[in-house]
Amino acid sequence: MRILVTSDTHNNHYNLRRAVLAHPDAALIFHLGDGADDMDDIHIEFPNRRFIQVKGNNDWGSMLPLEGEVALEGIKIFYTHGHKYNVKYGLYDLIAQARSRHAQIALFGHTHIPYTEYEDGLYLMNPGSLCASDGSYGILDLTPQGIVMNIINI
């Protein structure tokens, strides 16, 4: 299963659309906050695609949740924007929350800095930000052989 992971579009609908169009094989698209309005447009443009999203610290007035979890292909994924877990100052709180939920993958945004890591049974991914012309997003592949994470630059 291929998953497109996006975050922090901050009104750059164009880059978000480019990422979605580049991966028609993505079974699911995550948006990890700070772009709820951008996702409203994408939902309309791609009504047959599956989306999961959370509220970021700049999604004022949004009724989206701050975090969530989902099981896909037998793998539990914890996802959040990251500001609630102070990810700009370290990942300890995020990792502790993911582990308390027995997640194998933790997805987060907020820092605008792309990041992937594997730490003692937990995969971490921050796709970066799609708000600038040199933005980035993530691809997460769940395969029978294992989990593969990649960061793609626009």
Side-chain angles (χ1 to χ4, degrees):
M1 169 184 253
R2 174 157 283 185
I3 300 168
L4 174 63
V5 184
T6 66
S7 188
D8 295 280
T9 49
H10 294 281
N11 297 315
N12 192 327
H13 175 82
Y14 176 76
N15 277 353
L16 179 57
R17 184 176 187 275
R18 282 176 59 193
V20 172
L21 286 172
H23 299 281
D25 57 340
L28 176 64
I29 301 164
F30 276 96
H31 192 287
L32 301 173
D34 286 355
D37 292 341
D38 304 329
M39 285 303 291
D40 289 344
D41 296 337
I42 292 295
H43 281 283
I44 292 167
E45 191 170 349
F46 299 95
N48 297 323
R49 302 294 291 271
R50 182 175 174 207
F51 300 93
I52 294 177
Q53 63 187 114
V54 292
K55 176 181 178 175
N57 60 302
N58 288 307
D59 289 323
W60 302 290
S62 172
M63 298 303 291
L64 292 168
L66 289 174
E67 61 195 13
E69 60 184 64
V70 63
L72 302 167
E73 308 279 325
I75 297 168
K76 186 179 274 190
I77 301 172
F78 168 64
Y79 55 94
T80 186
H81 182 61
H83 63 292
K84 178 179 174 182
Y85 297 101
N86 302 305
V87 297
K88 286 188 177 181
Y89 306 105
L91 299 179
Y92 179 83
D93 293 341
L94 175 80
I95 290 170
Q97 182 62 223
R99 291 195 189 287
S100 76
R101 293 170 178 252
H102 306 287
Q104 289 87 33
I105 300 172
L107 304 176
F108 67 101
H110 189 54
T111 67
H112 294 211
I113 300 169
Y115 177 81
T116 60
E117 186 65 57
Y118 176 78
E119 182 180 303
D120 193 28
L122 180 63
Y123 291 85
L124 301 164
M125 176 187 273
N126 182 330
S129 169
L130 279 171
C131 68
S133 61
D134 61 346
S136 63
Y137 60 90
I139 294 293
L140 183 60
D141 288 307
L142 310 179
T143 73
Q145 294 76 29
I147 298 167
V148 180
M149 300 183 295
N150 287 293
I151 299 294
I152 309 294
N153 294 310
I154 288 282

